[in-house]
Amino acid sequence: MPQDSGRSGDSSLLRKLNAAAALEAFLKAESLTPRELRAVVGVSRPTAEELLAGLIAEGRVEETAPPRQPAAASRGAGRPARHFRFRAESGHVSGIDIGAHKAMAVVTDLRGNTLATQRVELDPTLDVVGRLAAAIDITRATWREAGLGPAEITNAACGVTGALRAGEGVQDVRRGPIGSGLAVYSLPGFTEVDVAAELSAGLGVPVAVANDVKLAALAEQWKGAAQGYRDIVYMFAGHRAGAGVLINGQVHQGHHGAAGEIGTWPALGWEAAVDQLHARGAALAAAAGLPSGREGELVIASAAVQDPESQRVLIEFAEVLARGAAVLALAVDPEVVVLGGGMSRGGAIIAEPFRRELARLALVPIEVISSTMGADSVALGAARMALDTVLADLLAVPGA
């Protein structure tokens, strides 16, 4: 803990360390009194007052009403303590999700409170120019809904199918050093452009790009069913299958950014299982005169009314997904496996065969829980990544 006495060294660096410690204290508390700030940071009263004045001048902290207390606990005579809070509205971050069938955006304050969310449906055949333009438009619309302009967005991040955080733009794992003959699942044209640069130019704010499934895993640990867990295997089951791994609460990227990409291993059979699911859904859609894009929902609905073929397809899909989960579970020994993505909303018809197959293959019993995030998980995970970047920058002390 930084101190204001009994320590030699650069006084300027010490002030910066104390300022970072003070800001971190406000980030962790709903509000603090000057006495509480002094105790947390471990400084004298004059130094605590100086730190508080600096944070107020920067617009990061402001005075606030004291927290409510029971009447019996209220103070008697005497001047009440002043309370100060971190101004979550002193910055904002935006999370973006660009998928095959939709673009979605969310904006939050610096405490992660969601201020606005918007979504637009996309044609799966849309080219990269049109898809990025749609993402930019929906993101700006989200900012307008929240009453914000580009100048008030501190940072942004985007989840994209097949994106690797390592390197620039979007890299298809087929082109990486991890093997050959792998399935192609990046969005059309996305490997040919610098996605981060295009989004940054279109939005006027810095945008980082990461794999969508890894961001969905991060969102699940932040605001979903996996809160409180640190070691997590997240299985995404939607229009495609994918996985993400969190170790000690952090997304594990791997040396090339390809950690968790076991769905690209042909022997696992994920691609064939997804193709079979889509084929069954397409047949049901054609029979009912419905448009494409809801294949998974149609198969689940059909299986729920005891259609044997739909049940067979779903069980095989769930079992193949569980085999991938078992491979990752044996490698990282997680506390929990989270079943996420659109198909996870099928309930027991997906979850039960998944649990059975995972239990058969795992070395030790592993808890399986279903996602509670819904379709906004990738956008929220992107917002969390952008928020982590902003907070790390705020707390950084050059030269420390």
Side-chain angles (χ1 to χ4, degrees):
M1 181 180 295
Q3 299 287 331
D4 62 337
S5 62
R7 172 179 171 175
S8 61
D10 185 350
S11 61
S12 175
L13 176 59
L14 182 56
R15 285 195 297 272
K16 293 175 183 177
L17 288 168
N18 282 332
L23 180 56
E24 185 174 16
F26 277 109
L27 284 167
K28 291 179 176 179
E30 181 179 346
S31 66
L32 291 172
T33 66
R35 181 186 293 272
E36 290 169 336
L37 177 64
R38 174 184 171 185
V40 172
V41 182
V43 294
S44 66
R45 179 177 176 179
T47 299
E49 291 174 349
E50 180 184 345
L51 293 172
L52 182 57
L55 290 173
I56 292 172
E58 292 172 6
R60 296 298 181 187
V61 169
E62 69 177 6
E63 189 167 1
T64 187
R68 290 187 176 183
Q69 295 181 344
S74 61
R75 293 173 57 99
R79 189 169 65 178
R82 299 172 71 191
H83 287 74
F84 297 84
R85 71 171 186 99
F86 173 69
R87 294 186 66 247
E89 67 274 21
S90 64
H92 304 87
V93 299
S94 199
I96 309 164
D97 173 14
I98 306 179
H101 295 81
K102 74 174 187 303
M104 186 172 182
V106 61
V107 61
T108 81
D109 63 21
L110 294 188
R111 282 210 184 274
N113 300 307
T114 299
L115 306 180
T117 302
Q118 294 224 10
R119 168 181 173 142
V120 62
E121 301 300 320
L122 300 178
D123 185 333
T125 64
L126 188 64
D127 64 17
V128 62
V129 174
R131 199 172 295 272
L132 289 175
I136 291 168
D137 289 344
I138 201 67
T139 302
R140 287 187 171 274
T142 307
W143 297 351
R144 288 194 297 271
E145 181 185 340
L148 302 170
E152 296 165 283
I153 305 298
T154 314
N155 200 10
C158 177
V160 181
T161 301
L164 300 184
R165 196 173 178 184
E168 295 185 2
V170 177
Q171 180 183 346
D172 194 307
V173 292
R174 182 188 57 169
R175 302 185 180 185
I178 58 174
S180 59
L182 303 179
V184 180
Y185 60 91
S186 292
L187 295 170
F190 270 53
T191 58
E192 311 305 323
V193 299
D194 187 334
V195 177
E198 294 292 332
L199 290 174
S200 298
L203 293 171
V205 300
V207 181
V209 175
N211 175 265
D212 55 354
V213 175
K214 291 181 175 65
L215 293 179
L218 184 61
E220 201 69 54
Q221 196 265 350
W222 182 31
K223 293 191 174 188
Q227 294 180 69
Y229 294 97
R230 303 292 292 172
D231 298 319
I232 301 163
V233 166
Y234 175 89
M235 307 302 296
F236 178 87
H239 291 284
R240 71 185 199 289
V245 176
L246 270 68
I247 297 177
N248 195 28
Q250 300 294 317
V251 174
H252 181 60
Q253 299 286 354
H255 182 66
H256 302 100
E261 299 290 357
I262 59 172
T264 61
W265 183 30
L268 193 58
W270 276 14
E271 185 179 10
V274 171
D275 287 346
Q276 185 174 232
L277 178 69
H278 285 175
R280 180 58 186 161
L284 291 169
L290 297 173
S292 62
R294 297 177 52 202
E295 288 83 358
E297 296 174 30
L298 292 173
V299 177
I300 289 172
S302 176
V305 295
Q306 307 302 311
D307 173 62
E309 180 62 13
S310 295
Q311 289 180 330
R312 182 193 67 78
V313 167
L314 281 181
I315 290 172
E316 183 171 338
F317 176 80
E319 289 178 346
V320 168
L321 196 69
R323 289 169 203 148
V327 172
L328 289 174
L330 288 168
V332 303
D333 189 23
E335 299 171 82
V336 67
V337 171
V338 180
L339 189 57
M343 294 299 294
S344 69
R345 294 191 288 276
I349 203 164
I350 293 287
E352 288 311 310
F354 179 90
R355 284 191 177 97
R356 287 196 303 268
E357 185 70 1
L358 180 60
R360 185 180 72 84
L361 298 171
L363 185 63
V364 295
I366 303 172
E367 182 180 3
V368 176
I369 56 179
S370 294
S371 169
T372 59
M373 291 302 299
D376 58 352
S377 61
V378 175
L380 277 173
R384 178 71 251 185
M385 187 174 99
L387 181 58
D388 286 343
T389 300
V390 172
L391 296 181
D393 288 344
L394 285 178
L395 297 175
V397 180

